[in-house]
């Protein structure tokens, strides 16, 4: 069984400030980890993913996330927020090599203040 | 088509009625998923089809929910005797196969069907 917890359903950041979205997971097998983004009135799209190898992964639009096995975390960051980053962000986990079903967290809605 | 297509985009129904939601995945994608997104909630997994394998139905919330995928392409999610708590956005996603029988975890999502049960 696997689960994902996203701390904070809403996050407000100022334009130019650091964006930090927290994600913790549980998995009985080595996980694959993902961040998806849902912009207003659009479908979900993949932001970045970790499968194997380098634990710091870079995605689109300047986002990156680091897999920390000891902390069972996969937090998403962006050094400088832009107004266009306002969206809902979902962390997800799959069973890695054991399977493909993705389990999503509850989502974090990001508001960017000018 | 270019992306995952879902129909209808909106469905309003009365409590107790049956509804069918349709998903046309991207051509050639072997995996198809149904998720449910309720107001203020995350994405709840419902069911997963992969090629000719038996579907993973572990997320279906009750026996009123069922889904099928005909010919490895189009899928229909059926909800019988709808209840108000079934109101949500139902999302379909597909993904292509990789080698060694695996499926790419990069899911391509449709725009969803907004279901409102009155």
């Amino acid at each position: 069984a696997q689960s994902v917890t996203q701390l904070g359903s809403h996050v407000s950041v100022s334009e130019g400030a650091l964006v930090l979205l927290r994600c913790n997971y549980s998995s009985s097998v080595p996980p694959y980890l993902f961040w998806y983004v849902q912009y207003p009135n659009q479908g979900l799209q993949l932001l970045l993913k970790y499968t194997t190898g380098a634990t710091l992964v870079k995605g689109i639009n300047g986002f990156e996330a680091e897999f920390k096995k000891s902390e069972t975390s996969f937090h998403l960051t962006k050094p400088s927020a832009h107004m266009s980053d306002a969206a809902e962000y979902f962390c997800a986990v799959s069973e890695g090599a054991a399977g493909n079903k993705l389990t999503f967290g509850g989502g974090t809605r990001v508001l960017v203040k000018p | 088509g270019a992306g995952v297509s879902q129909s209808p985009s909106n469905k309003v129904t009365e409590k107790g009625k049956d509804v069918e939601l349709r998903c046309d995945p991207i051509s050639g994608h072997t995996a198809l998923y149904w998720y449910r997104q309720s107001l203020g909630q995350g994405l709840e997994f419902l069911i997963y089809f992969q090629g000719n394998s038996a579907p993973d139905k572990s997320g279906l919330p009750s026996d009123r929910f069922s889904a099928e995928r005909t010919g490895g392409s189009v899928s229909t999610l059926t909800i019988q005797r709808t209840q108000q708590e079934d109101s949500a956005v139902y999302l379909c996603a597909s993904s292509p196969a990789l080698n060694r029988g695996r499926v790419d975890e990069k899911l391509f999502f449709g725009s969803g069907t907004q279901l409102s049960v009155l």
Side-chain angles (χ1 to χ4, degrees):
Chain A
Q2 52 197 3
S3 66
V4 178
T5 302
Q6 291 183 240
L7 188 62
S9 59
H10 291 79
V11 168
S12 181
V13 298
S14 297
E15 192 174 17
L18 171 72
V19 179
L20 170 61
L21 305 182
R22 299 180 185 276
C23 172
N24 288 88
Y25 70 91
S26 67
S27 178
S28 56
V29 298
Y32 290 176
L33 296 156
F34 311 82
W35 278 97
Y36 277 79
V37 59
Q38 187 174 30
Y39 295 106
N41 302 313
Q42 296 186 29
L44 280 88
Q45 58 184 283
L46 182 68
L47 197 56
L48 52 76
K49 69 177 182 180
Y50 166 80
T51 55
T52 58
T55 56
L56 180 64
V57 293
K58 297 184 184 298
I60 60 173
N61 301 334
F63 283 92
E64 62 182 36
E66 185 171 12
F67 168 56
K68 292 187 177 181
K69 183 179 178 180
S70 62
E71 298 178 7
T72 60
S73 70
F74 191 58
H75 302 330
L76 180 71
T77 61
K78 181 174 180 177
S80 177
H82 191 273
M83 296 299 291
S84 61
D85 295 326
E88 190 159 18
Y89 294 80
F90 294 91
C91 183
V93 61
S94 76
E95 294 173 328
N100 295 108
K101 184 179 76 178
L102 266 70
T103 299
F104 285 83
T108 298
R109 188 170 296 278
V110 173
L111 171 66
V112 182
K113 299 177 293 184
Chain B
V4 177
S5 177
Q6 291 187 246
S7 60
S9 56
N10 282 280
K11 176 70 176 180
V12 180
T13 190
E14 294 178 349
K15 177 181 173 181
K17 300 282 189 182
D18 298 351
V19 295
E20 285 189 351
L21 311 181
R22 177 187 169 100
C23 173
D24 282 271
I26 293 173
S27 178
H29 280 194
T30 60
L32 187 148
Y33 308 75
W34 283 99
Y35 286 87
R36 178 168 72 175
Q37 187 175 21
S38 303
L39 189 63
Q41 303 292 317
L43 277 74
E44 177 188 3
F45 168 79
L46 297 177
I47 189 169
Y48 164 50
F49 296 90
Q50 159 57 343
N52 296 320
S53 302
D56 179 347
K57 303 180 181 181
S58 60
L60 295 178
S62 76
D63 59 6
R64 296 187 295 105
F65 287 72
S66 63
E68 61 178 24
R69 187 179 186 191
T70 55
S73 179
V74 172
S75 177
T76 302
L77 176 69
T78 301
I79 308 173
Q80 296 178 309
R81 305 180 302 281
T82 53
Q83 303 294 312
Q84 288 183 333
E85 61 263 29
D86 299 335
S87 297
V89 176
Y90 288 82
L91 293 170
C92 177
S94 69
S95 62
L98 299 175
N99 53 18
R100 299 178 192 162
R102 282 195 54 78
V103 173
D104 194 344
E105 292 88 356
K106 180 179 180 179
L107 272 59
F108 294 79
F109 281 85
S111 298
T113 293
Q114 173 75 61
L115 175 66
S116 300
V117 182
L118 304 179

